[in-house]
Amino acid sequence: MAEQLALSSASAKYPKPAHSTFQYGTAGFRMKAWVVPFAAVEQPWFPPLALAIKIRRSNHGVIVSDLLDSVVFRVGLLAALRSRFKNGQVIGVMITASHNPPDDNGVKLVDPMGEMLEASWEVHATRLANASSDDALVAAYNKLVKDLTLKDVRPRVAFARDTRASGPRLIAALTEALKATETDYTDYKLLTTPQLHYITRCLNTKGTPFDYGEPTEQGYYEKTAAAFKKAMQGRKPNGGVIVDCANGVGGPKLRELIKHLPPVLEGGLEIKVVNDDVVSPERLNFQCGADFVKTGQRIPPSSQAKPLSRCASLDGDADRIVYYFVDADNNFRLLDGDKIATLAALFIGDLSRHAGLGEKLKVGVVQTAYANGASTDYITSYLKLPVVCTNTGVKYLHHAATKFDVGVYFEANGHGTVIFSDLALKRINKYEPKSPAQSESLQTLRALTQLINQTVGDALSDLLLVEVILAHKGWGPKEWDNTYTDLPNRLVRVEVADRSIFKAVDAERKLESPPGIQAHIDALVGKYKNGRSFARASGTEDAVRVYAEAATRGEVDDLASKVASLVKQTGS
């Protein structure tokens, strides 16, 4: 009874907005946090907005809505339940909205091994978030306790946030839920999302045969830096790299990581950090960051890159990375997630063969329909590796990657990692090399298993992985780019009246609904050399995204326009 009263009392502080419906997805819950400067109240557009949302004044010169507060409170309840379901293992909670604008925020859960929340629990998250009243929430909570036959163990939760201005307020809502459920919790303050995933796994594997490392931020830096040094095998970097940190949490964390890397004067990698202003929250992801570069196909205006300089951009919570450069003719060249995946697959495949493990390790690559067709052809025809295509969303790629001994997965947006199965790790660590050459390749491969953050896509870890490979290959960005040539492609957003009528199948590469639309798309695609196009409904707004490829820029623009028009006409 005491717990019920505590739950009801705490919930009353964070009532659910009456006309809002929430859905837990791949990115957890994500929406506007509505941190609005007082000056905005005087603007002509503000009064209608004020009527549409619940607002309150804060002491920080802003007007803040409570739209997300109730959601975060209820996610705290779910984290406690999930921990009990997992016998008291630590569950992670991350407050972030990744690459979204600074006035957005979000929350997602991390499972015990550092992976994303098990998909079957997303419905529980959605049900709690949408409970209409305090009593309805307590009833939904009690029903989950009963239906899931939860053990009476003390739950444990670890949480962190990125640099968004709304973060502290949302952390307050989260801790209220954890106190109400008598949960033991640790606040890790500001972290990148991958660092929280890493720490969550470390906490749950400490003292076991699967010990993943020291469960602290310092432990993350020390493990990553030590593995990078071993993986380099004394090789010198081929020049430095300029890293745009999206004015997010990745900036200070990268600077801290650099302190643990070999110094430049001793032959270490020179990393120039730009766009790392976390003092001004409104600059987060503004004209910088991985999404800006990928979507706009151009360098950030603040970049100081010269032709052929190697550049990389992180996103706001440092779980994505893309590389790029400007060639000698001043043309922008993007090295996105597809290029990173093929580079990693190439190198790991070579290492496996040179170490004598080529027949013992099955290396595979996982992509989505958004992967450039040229990359898929390169992997299957040149690297001779299998490719699996999944639905869009890291949870689908991660799951598919676990089916290989070594699974490489990256979305084109730069979110991805490499997963080594338990069997693969056992074979790599116990194999006895037959020659000095095998020994060197084996040592590098072993170091990569420690360098790569296998829990989730990690921009800092992936940055060092790319730099290791380029150093071993003696490549700059131009040589990397020349491994294959992307087909010209376009991504178009089409607003529709109801996105739910667009139902995709075959890993989202075809539409089964509305009836007949796929036949029309196929007919259009057939008119273009190397043509490919698909339409996929957005998961967050009434819009459909149309992707197209073709042999030339003119042809792909034409194909994308025609498919977009077809979608617009069908969805009107």
Side-chain angles (χ1 to χ4, degrees), residues 179 199 271 331 374 538-539:
K179 290 174 183 176
I199 288 173
I271 301 175
N331 296 311
S538 168

Side-chain angles (χ1 to χ4, degrees), residues 6 57 74 157 196 262 420 516 541 564 570:
R57 289 181 177 265
R74 292 155 189 237
V157 168
L196 182 70
F420 296 84
E541 57 184 340
T570 305

Side-chain angles (χ1 to χ4, degrees), residues 484-520:
Y484 67 86
T485 302
D486 276 331
L487 288 168
N489 58 89
R490 281 285 308 277
L491 182 61
V492 181
R493 178 181 174 276
V494 182
E495 292 186 2
V496 295
D498 180 7
R499 69 181 186 273
S500 67
I501 68 173
F502 294 88
K503 300 188 183 301
V505 294
D506 188 24
E508 301 176 326
R509 291 174 288 191
K510 294 185 180 298
L511 288 173
E512 66 174 3
S513 172
I517 189 172
Q518 187 59 49
H520 289 297

Side-chain angles (χ1 to χ4, degrees), residues 12 63 100 164 196 409 462 512 537 568:
I63 288 181
N100 282 36
R164 293 166 192 272
L196 182 70
Y409 77 83
D462 291 339
E512 66 174 3
K568 183 71 174 178

